[in-house]
Amino acid sequence: MERDEVIDEFRAYLREHNLPVTPQRVAVAEVLLLRDRHFSADEIENELRAQGISVGTATVYRTLEVLVRSGLVVERDFGEGFKRFESARGMPQHEHLLCTACGRVVEFQDDRLDRMSTLLAEAHGFVTRSHRLVIYGICSECQKTGSGL
Amino acid sequence: MERDEVIDEFRAYLREHNLPVTPQRVAVAEVLLLRDRHFSADEIENELRAQGISVGTATVYRTLEVLVRSGLVVERDFGEGFKRFESARGMPQHEHLLCTACGRVVEFQDDRLDRMSTLLAEAHGFVTRSHRLVIYGICSECQKTGSGL
DNA sequence: CTCATTGCAAAGGATTTGCACTAAT
DNA sequence: ATTAGTGCAAATCCTTTGCAATGAG
């Protein structure tokens, strides 16, 4: 799949909803959709600044709102005191491993876990809608360097 | 276990650490340890105010810090924009089922899940510190009444 | 041209911190 | 007496909002 296809999808979404396609919106979308990372609003702003593009904080947040509504981006809260955003591409339902030393986020998907989660919910009379698993630990890199010890 | 035993445990913790046992600290501890609920800092303050006890906001937060360090209370973040605190009594590691219709929170514990979570982390080179699973769904009550549909 | 977006700065909500005052040991 | 805790208000951190200037369609 072409890298810019996702951006075009966003452009299409904006047009369909009569929302102006501004360079700022596209710039924010590019950071988020063309990379495989979890960005905080602040990181996005810094990333853009590093690229020489200046986008106001408010605009970053407002664009993130649109991106989430478009379904192209997903909002995550790992209890760090701020939110992170990631492309919704590919992995529909996945879990997160968060390194408490360096903040790195690793994603994975496991069918057995999905099934177990549904069964556990049923056992308590719940009909599952979704679930979220975050495992906090130390990644292999940080284990080597001894960071956060 | 008697209701006041937990409070005595907290008093003991304070003494052992040369921390003064103040009426404010005990008051906050009582709200949290003598009930089966998840409280926000704000709710604790209101609860105390309703009881005619006035405790400053800063003191509530500072006491929560001590309670968490003592291991008697656990801090939770369900992505609501603020933190919740609950007694750690009994269930050392447990998961949460959150009804998206009525907001009810149900807790449960499952060893197989704990083990699976550790194994999944290892498979990705992580050393597990802890994990958090929140299953979002509809509780049996709401399924009957059709709330949130 | 017209209306939505932008950016700045002020406002907000949750939590923290500085500091003079009070209380526990 | 000592030393730490308390309350208040000011300060932070992340995020939202008001509003005049700007830009997309």
Side-chain angles (χ1 to χ4, degrees):
Chain A
M1 75 181 87
E2 276 316 306
R3 40 172 62 92
D4 286 352
E5 259 174 38
V6 218
I7 303 297
D8 286 337
E9 258 185 70
F10 183 48
R11 283 209 182 79
Y13 174 86
L14 291 174
R15 293 205 195 86
E16 280 165 26
H17 293 256
N18 294 311
L19 300 171
V21 177
T22 68
Q24 290 90 332
R25 296 219 247 236
V26 175
V28 172
E30 284 180 346
V31 171
L32 234 32
L33 301 177
L34 267 36
R35 281 198 185 57
D36 280 338
R37 274 196 49 195
H38 293 70
F39 287 88
S40 66
D42 195 54
E43 287 174 334
I44 292 171
E45 205 176 334
N46 292 335
E47 177 64 34
L48 289 172
R49 182 168 301 123
Q51 289 178 29
I53 307 169
S54 168
V55 177
T57 311
T59 300
V60 171
Y61 280 102
R62 283 186 284 230
T63 302
L64 285 171
E65 221 178 293
V66 179
L67 279 164
V68 169
R69 262 206 299 280
S70 79
L72 293 168
V73 162
V74 184
E75 184 184 308
R76 307 272 179 203
D77 189 327
F78 297 126
E80 299 168 293
F82 56 85
K83 286 167 193 150
R84 286 177 185 255
F85 300 83
E86 67 167 312
S87 166
R89 248 188 316 170
M91 298 183 152
Q93 163 70 64
H94 58 269
E95 324 304 340
H96 292 92
L97 274 160
L98 180 69
C99 178
T100 55
C102 68
R104 175 179 328 197
V105 178
V106 173
E107 297 168 355
F108 68 91
Q109 197 278 327
D110 189 86
D111 291 328
R112 279 195 313 154
L113 181 71
D114 292 344
R115 272 180 260 119
M116 182 179 289
S117 145
T118 303
L119 289 173
L120 288 168
E122 275 172 15
H124 293 271
F126 273 63
V127 172
T128 304
R129 204 190 206 84
S130 67
H131 73 260
R132 191 177 65 182
L133 172 69
V134 183
I135 302 178
Y136 300 88
I138 308 291
C139 71
S140 47
E141 278 305 307
C142 291
Q143 285 171 49
K144 285 178 203 152
T145 62
S147 318
L149 296 182
Chain B
M1 131 162 47
E2 275 316 303
R3 39 158 64 101
D4 288 352
E5 258 175 38
V6 218
I7 304 297
D8 286 338
E9 257 185 72
F10 182 48
R11 283 209 182 80
Y13 174 86
L14 291 173
R15 293 206 195 86
E16 280 164 27
H17 293 256
N18 294 311
L19 299 171
V21 177
T22 68
Q24 289 89 334
R25 296 219 246 235
V26 175
V28 172
E30 284 180 345
V31 170
L32 235 30
L33 301 177
L34 267 36
R35 281 197 186 57
D36 282 339
R37 275 197 47 196
H38 295 70
F39 285 89
S40 67
D42 194 55
E43 287 175 332
I44 292 171
E45 206 176 334
N46 291 333
E47 178 63 34
L48 290 172
R49 182 168 301 123
Q51 289 178 31
I53 306 168
S54 167
V55 177
T57 311
T59 299
V60 170
Y61 280 102
R62 283 186 284 231
T63 302
L64 285 170
E65 221 177 295
V66 179
L67 280 163
V68 169
R69 264 206 297 279
S70 79
L72 293 168
V73 162
V74 184
E75 185 184 307
R76 306 273 176 204
D77 190 327
F78 294 117
E80 300 167 292
F82 55 85
K83 286 167 193 148
R84 285 177 181 272
F85 299 83
E86 67 167 311
S87 166
R89 76 218 132 109
M91 295 184 152
Q93 163 70 66
H94 60 269
E95 325 304 341
H96 293 92
L97 274 161
L98 185 69
C99 177
T100 54
C102 68
R104 176 181 325 198
V105 178
V106 173
E107 297 168 355
F108 68 92
Q109 197 279 328
D110 189 86
D111 291 328
R112 280 193 310 155
L113 181 70
D114 293 344
R115 273 181 258 120
M116 182 179 287
S117 142
T118 303
L119 290 173
L120 288 168
E122 276 172 15
H124 294 271
F126 273 63
V127 172
T128 304
R129 210 198 241 333
S130 66
H131 74 259
R132 186 181 68 184
L133 172 68
V134 182
I135 302 178
Y136 300 88
I138 308 291
C139 71
S140 46
E141 276 306 305
C142 291
Q143 285 171 50
K144 284 178 206 154
T145 61
S147 317
L149 297 181

